[in-house]
């Protein structure tokens, strides 16, 4: 019976991944220090509460479930890492090290890590490539970059089938409130829920984005890829490269009554303008057939539909 273990199992992506993985694995186990998943998980998926930093607990988890694949999502995100550097380092670095060690001891052949474009930093070229030098600006990015390297080490020296997706800003209804990276998500959400949204950045800023459904597809694609076809272990993926003005227009075309305004703040604009506008994901396309299903138009259609259904359901 093949089991897929997801760390960070109570989080945003894990809840959604449990549904995508349900038909492909006999059992999906979600593991998290938090008490309960943010959203419904697939029927049959098992939730196990525990801390990545508890080595004995982690070993026991691997002994009980013998996962054929581990998807490592547990992490403190960028704001939390800066707010609590001690915990950020402990979870993202010590926790990731503990996970690789537990995978080796527990005989789990494959670990797939969720990394982020935050693993880059400084002045970036127009199009970000996998071999663009990685000098992250924040602690989160530092830990993501180091976790990528650690995974490659376990692959080369210990034969672990390590794979990694480097994700851009994800457009999702669970985007963290207040995070600059969540701006595009919140424009959609607030346009539906409140009929208005004010972008605090310039409309000409171009951002590389990915719709959450494509993130789920990317995990499925990378999990299923034959190891022999992988020319590298860390792959960038992207779906949409749009200016925020184009995002606003896509919303306006579908919700003409929504009031979308731009009131740019120089500091917020400078921050977003420093993020990648385009990502070269040709290696993923070549090596394992990655093909995003959602461009800006398809993403706008689908996301607004999801939000309308949810808002209608909440209003009833
Ligand atoms: N969502 C995005 O936009 C995005 C973009 C790039 C990368 N990622 C990466 O994808 C992964 C999942 O993202 P998400 O949006 O679901 O994040 P999330 O914050 O919703 O989930 C992370 C989970 O990790 C858990 N966790 C924290 N410390 C733990 C510990 N010590 N032991 C066990 N669990 C612990 C948290 O409780 C949380 O449920 C993260 O690694 C993130 O860095 C996400």
């Amino acid at each position: 019976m093949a089991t897929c273990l997801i760390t960070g199992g109570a989080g945003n992506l894990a809840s959604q991944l449990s549904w995508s993985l349900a038909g492909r694995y006999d059992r999906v186990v979600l593991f998290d220090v938090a008490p309960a998943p943010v959203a419904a998980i697939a029927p049959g998926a098992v939730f196990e509460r525990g801390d990545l930093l508890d080595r004995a607990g982690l070993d026991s988890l691997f002994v009980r479930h013998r996962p054929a694949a581990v998807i490592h999502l547990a992490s403190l995100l960028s704001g939390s890492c800066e707010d609590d550097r001690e915990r950020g380092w402990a979870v993202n670095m010590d926790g990731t090290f503990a996970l690789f060690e537990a995978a080796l001891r527990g005989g789990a052949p494959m670990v797939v890590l969720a990394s982020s474009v935050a693993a880059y930093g400084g002045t970036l070229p127009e199009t970000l490539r996998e071999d663009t030098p990685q000098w992250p600006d924040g602690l989160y990015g530092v830990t993501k970059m180091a976790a990528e390297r650690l995974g490659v080490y376990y692959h080369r020296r210990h034969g672990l089938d390590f794979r990694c997706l480097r994700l851009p800003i994800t457009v999702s209804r669970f985007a963290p409130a207040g995070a600059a990276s969540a701006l595009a998500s919140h424009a959609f959400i607030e346009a539906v829920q409140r009929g208005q949204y004010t972008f605090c950045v310039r409309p000409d800023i171009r951002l590389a984005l990915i719709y959450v459904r494509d993130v789920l597809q990317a995990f499925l694609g990378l999990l299923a890829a034959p190891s022999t076809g992988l020319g590298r272990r860390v792959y960038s993926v992207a779906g949409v490269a749009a200016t925020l003005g184009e995002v606003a227009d896509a919303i306006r075309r579908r919700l003409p009554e929504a009031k979308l305004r731009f009131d740019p703040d120089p500091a917020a604009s400078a921050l977003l303008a420093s993020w990648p506008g385009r990502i070269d994901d040709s290696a993923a396309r070549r090596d394992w057939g990655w093909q995003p299903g959602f461009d800006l138009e398809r993403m706008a259609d689908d996301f607004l539909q999801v939000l309308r259904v949810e808002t209608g359901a909440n209003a009833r």
Side-chain angles (χ1 to χ4, degrees), residues 27-73:
R27 169 178 278 214
V28 177
V29 178
L30 300 153
F31 172 78
D32 203 298
V33 72
V38 288
I41 61 173
V46 180
F47 180 68
E48 287 245 14
R49 193 165 179 200
D51 192 333
L52 212 48
L53 296 168
D54 166 12
R55 299 281 181 102
L58 210 50
D59 278 343
S60 149
L61 184 78
F62 276 79
V63 166
R64 278 180 286 119
H65 295 292
R66 297 264 164 230
V70 181
I71 303 181
H72 182 38
L73 303 182

Side-chain angles (χ1 to χ4, degrees), residues 8 11-13 32-33 51-52 73-75 91 114-115 140 144 170:
N12 158 25
L13 289 182
D32 203 298
V33 72
D51 192 333
L52 212 48
L73 303 182
S75 176
V91 173
S115 185
Y140 171 68
K144 287 294 177 186
T170 301

